[in-house]
Each structure stands twice: as C-alpha cells, then as structure tokens.
Amino acid sequence: MSAAGFRFDNSWAALGEPFAVRHNPALVREPRLLAFNRQLCALLGGDADAVHAQAADWFSGNRSIPGALPVAAAYAGHQFGNFVPQLGDGRAVLLGEVIGSDGQRRDIQLKGAGRTPFSRGGDGRAALGPVLREYLVSEAMHALGIPTTRALAAVLTGEPVFREEVLPGAVITRVASSHIRVGSFEFLAARDDVDSLRRLLDHALARHYPHLAVAEAEPGGAALALLRAVAARQAALVAQWMAVGFVHGVMNTDNCSIAGETIDYGPCAFMEAYDPATVFSSIDRQGRYAYANQPPIAQWNLARLAEALLPLIDPEQPRAIELATGVVNEFQGVFGLEWQNRLGAKLGLWTVLEEGAAAAAGLPKAPATACDEADAQLMADWLALLQQHRIDWTNAHRALCHAAEGDEAPLRDQFVDREAPSAWLARWRARLGQGSHLATAMRRVNPAYIPRNHAVEAMIASATQGDMAPFERLQRALATPYDEQPGMADLARPAPTDTAPHRTFCGT
Ligand code: AMP
Ligand code: MG
C-alpha cells in the first residue's frame, strides 16, 4: 500500500512528551465515506484518486497511512473563564503533518476517533450531524476567504453514538496549519515546565512566524514578538468573522489557535437579523461569547497567552508583566482598525482586497489609521439602522451592492417601512465615489450565501436519513459564496419568521 503521494514529516510527534502521547485511533465497525475533498487532498500533496480509494479506511482510523505517526496532543484551557489544567485531544488523533504541493506544512487530524488518554468522561466519538456541520461550515469559511481549519473527509463509522438520542457515529478529518492553541502554552506554564515552554515557543515561531526569529534581541524577545503576532492574527480573524456574521460560540482558550485560524466548529452559527447580543449556544447563558463580545474575549484569551509566556519574556516578572500588558492593551486599537476597514469595505468606502483587485476596483485602499469622524458616523448609523429594524446582516449588505448600481429596491424591500433607510442612503450616496466597479468590489466582500442555520439543520436531518443531496447542494452554493447562482435563491433567505430562535449545543 502506498502513501498515495502524502509526504509526512511529523514534527509535533517528534517533540514527544509532555507535548503529545503516541496513540492510535480506535477501529470502527463499518466505515463508509460520506464526503471527500479532492482539491484539498491535492493541496496536501496527495493523489486524489489513490487517496479516495483508501479514504474510508484511512479516515476512519481503521488502517494507518504509511508515514503517519498518530498522537494525542496535550493542552489545557480556560473554559468559560475557568482554568482546566489538562484537556488535550479527548477524541481527536493527530495522524501527522504533511508537506503540501505548495510547500506548506499542515496537520491531518481525525476527530471522533475514539477514547484517548485525555478523554476524561467522554466517549471519544462524534455524531454525524456535528461532523457534517464542521465539514460544511469550515469549507464555507475557507471559500469566504477566512482563515480556518479545513475538512478533508467525513466517514460514517457504522456505530451508534449516544447523546440525548442515539445518533450515527462519524469521523471528520480536519486539516490545520497546526493545532497549537493558547491552551498548549497554558498547559506547560501551569506545570512550571519552562524548558518545554521554550521548546513550544521555538516550534510555534518556526512554524507560523519564521520571520520573527530575529526578534530574539528585542525587549521581551521572541516570546513577546509571538504574542504580538498572535494578537494581530486574532484581531484580523475576529473582524473577518464579524464581517460575515459568524458567532464562534465557544471561544475558550483551548479553541484559540496560535496560527490565527478558526478552529472547533461546535456551537457556531451565523447571525441573521443584526443584533450585537446574538448568542446561539444553549450553555452560554451570560452571552460571554455573543457576537459583539468576540473582540474583548479574543483579548482576554491573549491575556492568558501573555501570562503563560511571562517566564520567556523577562526573568524579572514585573518587567515581563509590563511588556506583556503593553501588547495585550494594543489589541483594542488593532482590532478597531481591522473592523473599521472590513465594515467600510462592505459599504464600498474603500477596499481591503489585495493590490491587483484593489486597483481594478478603482477604490482607495483601506486607511492605515482611524478614519475621519464622518465615515465613522456613517458606519455607526448603518449598524444602528440594521439593528433597529432587525434586518438580515448578509442580505442587507448584498442589497447595498445593488444600491451601489442605482437599484435601491432590494434594500428597501427588507424594511417594513421602505422609507426607513432613505436618510442614510442619501448620506451614503453623497459620500461614495463614482467608480463603475464599485458594486463589483462590494460583491467580493459581501457574500450572497452563508451557511444559514436552518439550511444546515435541514441538511443534517436529511443526511441522518441517508440523503446527502442537500449537503452536496449547500456545498456547491457555498463554494463560491460571492456569486449568485441559478436555482439557489432559497439558500439566501433567512429562516422563516415563525421558526424558534436557533439554539446550538456543546458536547457535540
Ligand atoms: P471542545 O468543546 O470540542 O473544544 O472540547 C473541549 C475538550 O473536551 C477537549 O479536550 C476535547 O477533546 C474534549 N471532548 C469533547 N468531546 C469529547 C468526547 N465526546 N469524548 C472525549 N473528549 C471530548
Ligand atoms: Mg476544542
């Protein structure tokens, strides 16, 4: 049996304990491949046909991929604010790292692969619904241009999983640029294992921020440089989430990636009517992880990373605290600019697209500092308008693209009182440039399709009955979310108004 083109190089497993323990996935009864991502497979260096032929066995854990060295990783984490000194991969197994066709190193991990030494009371399993949700939503996020873990395969195990009800068991194969989390650092810091902490810092820098190795000589050294770099990526990430209405739902420090990718699609969901207090998770009663609370929570998580890194920042703790606090306090400003620029781009005030596309759009680049008062007010008033009238976040912005071409009807149609947006629209028009490519540029940052919660739930219900057609259809629409596609109009509609508020659940 060949490795079908995969080139493994298992640097995390090589760190050994306490970072990871050798652990093989459990065998499953009757693996059946449900979904396979050929494009991602090729990016990972795999021969898609050859991998596909083995996929059910490899991605259920029933047979090992030559070159893989399966381990379970150790980490800690603050869950809803409370520190848990040992979490770890309780139902995930890292098969190894492959060097892709683009030269990039990526983790291949099975999730739902059985009990591990870190399982505590859990069964180590995953149910079909959450597996398909993660597959679909993570790939949708990727297509939206948002940093994320990705999905390579979903496999039915042929075994039941016992939750509130009996559900079909499944395994998702997740791909990430790494699975190093804030909680990975917290785990070592809580054990006062400074030597391992330093090895983790070196590993994380080499892997994700190689250009920062030169920061060694700066005050605070490489550790402070890492903290600043992670802060920048988290700020950009959360701004991108909010720009598409994404509510992660469980931003515990163990779900906060050092690489700045979206990770752990448990109770996540997308906001429809704009409301900053939007929260979906049934266990998040305080709204800790509500839509608009995501930036301060990201900052809170960075403060936990800062604490873990203190011994590497300066041997004198007061000095280390001073330096780390300075970086954590910068977060608000960094995030504020990211958000301003994302929202402004959605309104067509400027562009956040890369150089070539920016020039084609005929729009100025997003400002490098806080915008002027008038623009800030225009954006604030837009948000207030959407909130007051409970307008669908995605469709409001998509309709604004039409308005940029002169057709205000799609936007006005979303208001009970069609005159409600008139005053704001007049101010917006007065502010806009005349570029003929304005609407095109706006459509590239305002998706037509997001994974709407009711559509995802309906897809899961169908898949549980053995019908994968809705999964495939949703996947097709979400693969090019910025392009309207024929026959997909229903997927752009919000949940019917008589549906109960969407609720999501942890312990998936
Ligand atoms: P999550 O909420 O998915 O981020 O998981 C938090 C922690 O609980 C991690 O250490 C997981 O490995 C563990 N965990 C979640 N679900 C299970 C399960 N069904 N069996 C064992 N461990 C689990
Ligand atoms: Mg997690």
Side-chain angles (χ1 to χ4, degrees):
M1 185 173 48
S2 93
F6 286 138
R7 278 195 295 148
F8 277 94
D9 180 47
N10 307 315
S11 69
W12 185 263
L15 290 172
E17 292 188 27
F19 300 87
V21 295
R22 279 280 292 116
H23 178 81
N24 288 329
L27 301 183
V28 308
R29 193 179 299 159
E30 199 186 336
R32 193 157 72 76
L33 186 66
L34 278 183
F36 177 62
N37 191 337
R38 299 183 70 91
Q39 278 175 339
L40 178 58
C41 180
L43 183 64
L44 295 175
D47 171 338
D49 289 327
V51 175
H52 184 260
Q54 310 275 0
D57 283 334
W58 282 356
F59 303 128
S60 61
N62 266 14
R63 206 173 292 163
S64 69
I65 311 178
L69 191 62
V71 296
Y75 54 85
H78 277 85
Q79 299 190 308
F80 288 89
N82 304 308
F83 186 61
V84 185
Q86 184 169 305
L87 291 166
D89 288 334
R91 57 169 167 170
V93 175
L94 175 63
L95 296 183
E97 298 148 44
V98 293
I99 310 300
S101 56
D102 58 355
Q104 294 293 310
R105 173 186 298 273
R106 293 183 185 84
D107 280 2
I108 301 183
Q109 190 206 60
L110 303 185
K111 184 168 162 185
R115 289 181 52 78
T116 77
F118 302 109
S119 294
R120 297 172 292 157
D123 62 359
R125 292 300 185 186
L128 175 64
V131 162
L132 292 182
R133 182 188 294 109
E134 172 154 352
Y135 192 115
L136 192 94
V137 179
S138 66
E139 285 301 304
M141 292 288 269
H142 173 72
L144 285 163
I146 301 176
T148 178
T149 63
R150 300 196 56 191
L152 180 61
V155 179
L156 271 174
T157 61
E159 294 173 13
V161 168
F162 302 94
R163 296 289 180 260
E164 247 117 79
E165 51 197 319
V166 182
L167 298 166
V171 177
I172 182 165
T173 304
R174 175 160 84 176
V175 171
S177 65
S178 87
H179 284 84
I180 307 171
R181 313 134 192 276
V182 168
S184 311
F185 285 90
E186 290 181 287
F187 173 70
L188 300 170
R191 294 157 56 114
D192 289 321
D193 185 350
V194 179
D195 287 341
S196 296
L197 205 52
R198 184 165 288 114
R199 289 178 71 201
L200 179 58
L201 171 65
D202 291 344
H203 180 95
L205 281 175
R207 208 159 160 180
H208 301 301
Y209 305 96
H211 57 288
L212 293 182
V214 295
E216 207 68 60
E218 307 281 319
L224 197 70
L226 177 82
L227 180 63
R228 188 177 284 116
V230 176
R233 286 212 192 158
Q234 285 291 331
L237 179 67
V238 173
Q240 288 184 79
W241 287 354
M242 292 175 67
V244 297
F246 180 76
V247 182
H248 181 283
V250 60
M251 289 175 69
N252 295 330
T253 56
D254 51 303
N255 295 335
C256 179
S257 154
I258 294 298
E261 291 176 342
T262 313
I263 185 166
D264 260 1
Y265 291 84
C268 69
F270 284 77
M271 175 174 71
E272 294 201 312
Y274 175 63
D275 179 357
T278 299
V279 50
F280 297 105
S281 172
S282 56
I283 62 167
D284 190 2
R285 293 198 185 83
Q286 315 290 324
R288 179 180 171 89
Y289 300 137
Y291 173 79
N293 223 24
Q294 296 182 113
I297 285 294
Q299 185 182 30
W300 193 90
N301 290 347
L302 289 162
R304 306 291 79 76
L305 177 61
E307 282 166 6
L309 289 171
L310 284 179
L312 305 181
I313 291 175
D314 198 286
E316 279 181 49
Q317 205 186 54
R319 175 72 181 140
I321 290 174
E322 186 190 330
L323 288 168
T325 305
V327 171
V328 173
N329 286 347
E330 285 164 18
F331 181 84
Q332 267 180 357
V334 177
F335 172 79
L337 192 59
E338 291 282 353
W339 174 241
Q340 162 197 292
N341 288 352
R342 294 273 161 199
L343 183 59
K346 287 174 80 70
L347 302 191
L349 307 185
W350 46 70
T351 181
V352 288
L353 300 175
E354 57 295 342
E355 212 65 60
L363 278 172
K365 286 188 66 154
T369 54
C371 63
D372 65 39
E373 191 53 41
D375 281 348
Q377 199 58 52
L378 188 68
M379 290 191 271
D381 291 346
W382 168 247
L383 296 182
L385 185 71
L386 299 188
Q387 184 175 2
Q388 186 192 343
H389 296 272
R390 301 195 54 77
I391 308 300
D392 185 86
W393 177 258
T394 304
N395 291 350
H397 289 94
R398 195 69 182 177
L400 205 57
C401 306
H402 288 280
E405 292 170 320
D407 180 9
E408 293 180 353
L411 182 65
R412 292 182 181 280
D413 289 348
Q414 295 179 42
F415 289 78
V416 175
D417 170 10
R418 296 181 89 257
E419 290 305 318
S422 298
W424 187 87
L425 278 170
R427 281 166 60 205
W428 176 67
R429 269 196 202 297
R431 161 66 176 79
L432 282 187
Q434 295 303 311
S436 57
H437 300 295
L438 177 62
T440 310
M442 287 174 66
R443 286 196 174 94
R444 290 196 50 189
V445 292
N446 290 311
Y449 307 106
I450 51 157
R452 291 188 181 268
N453 310 320
H454 62 285
V456 173
E457 291 310 316
M459 173 279 284
I460 290 171
S462 297
T464 305
Q465 300 302 312
D467 177 9
M468 290 295 286
F471 173 84
E472 275 140 30
R473 180 166 177 264
L474 255 180
Q475 208 183 14
R476 214 174 321 121
L478 293 167
T480 54
Y482 297 106
D483 301 327
E484 260 137 51
Q485 296 156 52
M488 300 285 193
D490 59 306
L491 297 180
R493 277 198 283 275
T497 43
D498 57 354
T499 21
H502 185 70
R503 279 279 156 267
T504 61
F505 301 92
C506 269
T508 49

